[in-house]
Amino acid sequence: MHAQNLIDTAKTLMADHKGLLAMDESDPTCNKRFAKLHIPQTTEARRAYRELIVTAQGLGESISGAILFDETIRQQKKDGTPFAKALADAGIIPGIKVDAGATDMAAHPGEKITEGLDGLRERLREYFQMGARFAKWRAVIAIGENIPSRSCLEANAHTLARYAALCQEAGLVPIVEPEVLMDGAHTLEQCRKVTGETLRNVFIQLDCQRVLLEGMILKPNMVLPGLDCPTQESVDEVADATVNCFLRTVPAAVPGIAFLSGGQPGELASARLNAMNVRFKSRMPWALTFSFSRAIQQPALEIWSGKDANVLPAQKALIHRAKCDRAARRGEYTSAMESCAPAKS
Ligand code: 13P
């Protein structure tokens, strides 16, 4: 058992008030984001964009770990350095997304189950050899009329736990990501209930599958009203609902909670994370940080727009968001920091 290595990696991922950068968009997701900005949807364009990210000067000051996609962990910088090595050289632990995506759950209209357990043991072995020291698996839970069902919550929790156990066997820290989606008109209270129920199921299954809690990270959603809900609570109300939900459901043995952004604008995600760290500073047994994709990357992607000439300003925008999020983890983020944001041309 690599228990101590797992514990050390999880601790390092949560150290120095840093957080994670999710850059593990699948090819179709990456292409969709590129298409909106008229960027060619080619392997080379995706490679060039990922090189922009991993070579951003100073990224390691705010980011402890970066989650790659299968295509990306096999790619290199123009000079031939594998991305995983470039990240490690910058003091950033490479990680890898290992789920095969969420598909329709049979007999459960509107609900999804995440696939990818077949052959996972072998894939994890290969990723470890390529330098990955942690992995990620995302389950998605939708809120709607009569959903989520009990069977959807149980099936996704069970799958997450089996993935997590396989990761730990391979020496990789599992990032356990049960995402309750923001789509819909549900209230903050409904999201709180569903998130609580989701997490209770997840931790029961993690225990059943003998997952070492000290050697994993939880990557949940914030507790938020649906995007179409007429009542949108304040930053402080969201912070209180979210952390109170976790205090009741996430064991103290878990070293860290690192949020997904789920499509929230970057500034709002920073402000909400900051409020949680300010309001619950002395009451949280775990580190509370970020593992954002869109909330860190979006401005940089828009500035880059596929043009070599925009690489430097795009990198500055990326570093700016990462710094704001690190400040939010310390409870030191202010909207004044945004006045230093690089402008879009
Ligand atoms: P977002 O921060 O864009 O939600 O992405 C995080 C992630 O890793 C989704 O699986």
Side-chain angles (χ1 to χ4, degrees), residues 1-315:
M1 198 45 186
H2 327 261
Q4 195 54 52
N5 289 345
L6 294 168
I7 292 168
D8 291 346
T9 302
K11 269 193 195 146
T12 308
L13 287 170
M14 292 296 105
D16 300 327
H17 296 107
K18 295 182 194 178
L20 308 180
L21 169 63
M23 50 181 288
D24 59 333
E25 302 80 17
S26 62
D27 296 350
T29 301
C30 194
N31 287 345
K32 238 187 275 165
R33 291 181 192 165
F34 278 18
K36 274 193 193 152
L37 298 166
H38 311 292
I39 301 168
Q41 291 111 66
T42 61
T43 308
E44 174 49 26
R46 292 193 297 273
R47 192 209 62 76
Y49 176 58
R50 266 61 184 257
E51 176 159 354
L52 176 161
I53 295 177
V54 305
T55 57
Q57 282 299 311
L59 191 64
E61 287 165 25
S62 306
I63 301 296
S64 57
I67 315 172
L68 302 170
F69 181 60
D70 182 75
E71 176 183 77
T72 324
I73 199 168
R74 299 175 194 282
Q75 286 175 328
Q76 294 117 27
K77 284 169 47 182
K78 270 233 160 79
D79 69 7
T81 314
F83 285 156
K85 180 169 183 329
L87 286 166
D89 290 347
I92 299 170
I93 303 177
I96 179 80
K97 167 198 172 86
V98 297
D99 65 73
T103 56
D104 291 340
M105 186 166 162
H108 290 72
E111 298 194 281
K112 302 267 183 200
I113 181 75
T114 303
E115 308 276 6
L117 286 177
D118 288 349
L120 183 57
R121 176 175 272 139
E122 292 70 30
R123 288 196 289 130
L124 292 172
R125 209 174 286 144
E126 186 191 9
Y127 289 138
F128 186 93
Q129 278 163 5
M130 293 168 100
R133 290 295 174 270
F134 69 100
K136 186 198 96 167
W137 179 292
R138 173 174 175 256
V140 290
I141 308 295
I143 303 181
E145 212 182 324
N146 298 323
I147 63 170
S149 63
R150 190 188 168 94
S151 40
C152 173
L153 292 181
E154 285 180 359
N156 275 294
H158 176 79
T159 313
L160 274 167
R162 286 185 55 203
Y163 136 82
L166 280 163
C167 282
Q168 292 192 335
E169 180 190 87
L172 296 160
V173 168
I175 309 288
V176 174
E177 181 180 9
E179 174 175 3
V180 177
L181 297 172
M182 286 161 63
D183 306 296
H186 55 268
T187 61
L188 176 94
E189 176 57 15
Q190 283 172 301
C191 181
R192 186 192 64 76
K193 268 197 190 147
V194 171
T195 302
E197 222 175 305
T198 300
L199 294 176
R200 268 188 290 278
N201 274 284
V202 166
F203 281 101
I204 287 170
Q205 291 294 331
L206 289 169
D207 185 51
C208 285
Q209 298 297 327
R210 304 183 180 168
V211 172
L212 178 73
L213 297 183
E214 289 83 351
M216 64 159 276
I217 305 290
L218 178 71
K219 175 163 173 165
N221 51 285
M222 295 184 188
V223 173
L224 300 170
L227 289 170
D228 301 327
C229 178
T231 309
Q232 294 289 320
E233 278 77 1
S234 69
V235 166
D236 285 352
E237 285 168 320
V238 163
D240 290 356
T242 303
V243 182
N244 279 321
C245 176
F246 295 163
L247 286 170
R248 294 183 186 129
T249 49
V250 184
V254 173
I257 297 176
F259 287 110
L260 60 94
S261 59
Q264 299 174 67
E267 297 176 20
L268 190 54
S270 300
R272 286 168 168 163
L273 176 63
N274 187 69
M276 294 179 210
N277 279 304
V278 168
R279 294 165 77 80
F280 289 86
K281 204 171 203 146
S282 56
R283 291 176 47 202
M284 295 189 293
W286 0 257
L288 195 68
T289 189
F290 57 92
S291 176
F292 298 156
S293 160
R294 283 163 286 181
I296 293 184
Q297 288 187 44
Q298 195 57 32
L301 180 61
E302 287 171 16
I303 291 172
W304 176 58
S305 286
K307 298 190 180 72
D308 282 351
N310 297 341
V311 165
L312 210 58
Q315 288 177 322

